Amino acid sequence: PGNLDIKFSKAIIALELRELDDAQQTLIELLDKKYRPNTINFYLGNLAELQKDPTTAINYYLAVSTGDDFVAANSQAARLMANLGELKDARSHLRALRDKSPSLRAQFFNAEANILDEQAMTQIAIDVLDIAIAEFPNNVSLLYKRSSLYEKTDRLDLMEADLRRGLTLEPENSAILNALGYFLTIRTERYQEAFDLISAALLIEPKDSAILDSMGWVLFKLQRVEEAIFFLRKAFEQFPDPEVAAHLGEVLWINGDRQEALGIWNKNLAENPDDTKIPETMRRLNAQP
């Protein structure tokens, strides 16, 4: 009973199981004993978010002053501030952290861009990343984030340029290989080029559900339908989110397996009632629920 490491493990398991009262009691006990205070404050912030108490979560996150969770905790605190209508304070907090922690400047630039993106302030997010990339021209994470924002604003040449710059810096970065391949699949007709990029990503991460989904989709565009279904099924088994469900259902529908397609769509919609991808796919295919 006196082993704090065991108590910490118990608290984390309780948190995973959503036994929040038990987790909270144990975490507060550990905090009172000054056991790993930065880590405990981080998990108490997670717990407060699960309890729909963002103000308390912010206070716990801001108490994380160093360690492995420092960037994540303060980035999350800023995100919650923004969601509460305190965007100016959130950005000021991240800017102050950039000045206080030079080695973490790029990460806090990225955090600010993410928050602005979530607040539908895409161009301002790009402006922040422009400043960041001028300071850190070889930072792949910053380039990757800006590329996604360029796609949102239909500046596809700039998006591709950022992704290719990222690949120049990290030729075996599976996330960038997949992002560029998927972009070429959905926004161009350069399907063979996309296939080559996604194939390279898959060699690096053969079990990654996002890459499996991309492979299935580009194979579909290449009219290799049976192969497409194979990869999309594997992706769906691992990660049955609405986008993968939309892709798998569409390929099955085109292949004549319409009852299975409807079953996948309807089940996924029941689990994700706010999704728009599946309804859009069904309307485009004139598929009846």
Side-chain angles (χ1 to χ4, degrees):
N3 189 308
L4 300 185
D5 291 332
I6 293 174
K7 286 190 174 183
F8 175 65
S9 296
K10 175 178 178 286
I12 299 309
I13 292 168
L15 192 59
E16 291 287 340
L17 294 171
R18 299 297 188 264
E19 295 176 1
L20 301 186
D21 291 341
D22 190 1
Q24 185 174 38
Q25 179 180 341
T26 307
L27 288 169
I28 289 175
E29 178 185 342
L30 289 167
L31 191 63
D32 289 341
K33 294 180 182 295
K34 297 181 171 54
Y35 172 88
R36 299 173 61 183
N38 287 300
T39 300
I40 299 303
N41 276 308
F42 179 69
Y43 280 108
L44 282 167
N46 291 171
L47 190 148
E49 282 199 76
L50 292 170
Q51 293 173 325
K52 310 297 184 187
D53 186 353
T55 301
T56 298
I58 289 168
N59 291 332
Y60 279 125
Y61 285 138
L62 292 179
V64 179
S65 59
T66 189
D68 293 341
D69 300 313
F70 177 66
V71 173
N74 281 276
S75 298
Q76 191 66 352
R79 188 183 72 82
L80 292 172
M81 290 179 198
N83 290 343
L84 291 173
E86 300 166 4
L87 179 60
K88 184 178 179 181
D89 290 341
R91 297 184 69 187
S92 295
H93 177 63
L94 293 174
R95 288 171 180 170
L97 289 172
R98 288 204 297 267
D99 293 338
K100 290 177 184 177
S101 310
S103 64
L104 302 174
R105 280 179 64 80
Q107 294 181 64
F108 285 121
F109 268 121
N110 221 346
E112 184 178 1
N114 282 326
I115 290 168
L116 290 164
D117 184 20
E118 290 177 7
Q119 297 293 318
M121 303 173 73
T122 307
Q123 184 54 54
I124 298 175
I126 291 172
D127 294 341
V128 167
L129 290 171
D130 287 344
I131 296 168
I133 291 168
E135 186 174 339
F136 301 100
N138 295 332
N139 188 291
V140 171
S141 294
L142 295 172
L143 289 164
Y144 185 81
K145 179 60 185 178
R146 189 172 68 176
S147 74
S148 71
L149 300 178
Y150 279 146
E151 184 186 17
K152 286 187 176 182
T153 54
D154 286 325
R155 285 176 271 186
L156 304 185
D157 55 338
L158 294 175
M159 176 194 181
E160 184 172 353
D162 272 355
L163 290 176
R164 292 201 180 278
R165 170 66 177 160
L167 280 182
T168 300
L169 296 165
E170 295 183 9
E172 296 189 359
N173 186 313
S174 61
I176 295 182
L177 285 164
N178 182 57
L180 182 53
Y182 188 65
F183 155 68
L184 293 176
T185 302
I186 63 172
R187 302 300 294 265
T188 78
E189 294 184 357
R190 294 153 60 188
Y191 301 137
Q192 187 58 50
E193 188 179 351
F195 174 79
D196 293 341
L197 288 160
I198 296 166
S199 295
L202 201 58
L203 284 174
I204 299 165
E205 295 288 348
K207 296 182 180 180
D208 186 287
S209 58
I211 300 173
L212 290 167
D213 175 62
S214 296
M215 177 57 78
W217 200 236
V218 75
L219 285 167
F220 174 57
K221 294 294 185 179
L222 288 167
Q223 300 182 7
R224 294 161 60 176
V225 175
E226 293 299 332
E227 293 172 87
I229 291 172
F230 171 79
F231 281 99
L232 289 170
R233 284 196 194 280
K234 287 182 69 174
F236 190 69
E237 287 169 6
Q238 291 184 32
F239 189 57
D241 84 324
E243 184 168 7
V244 181
H247 286 167
L248 176 57
E250 179 164 350
V251 178
L252 289 169
W253 182 272
I254 297 297
N255 200 43
D257 302 317
R258 297 191 168 188
Q259 288 306 309
E260 184 180 1
L262 287 170
I264 289 169
W265 286 331
N266 290 333
K267 183 175 185 298
N268 209 274
L269 276 175
E271 296 167 354
N272 303 278
D274 296 328
D275 171 62
T276 59
K277 297 182 186 301
I278 293 173
E280 287 171 2
T281 299
M282 295 176 74
R283 282 194 297 271
R284 178 162 46 79
L285 296 173
N286 196 26
Q288 299 302 316

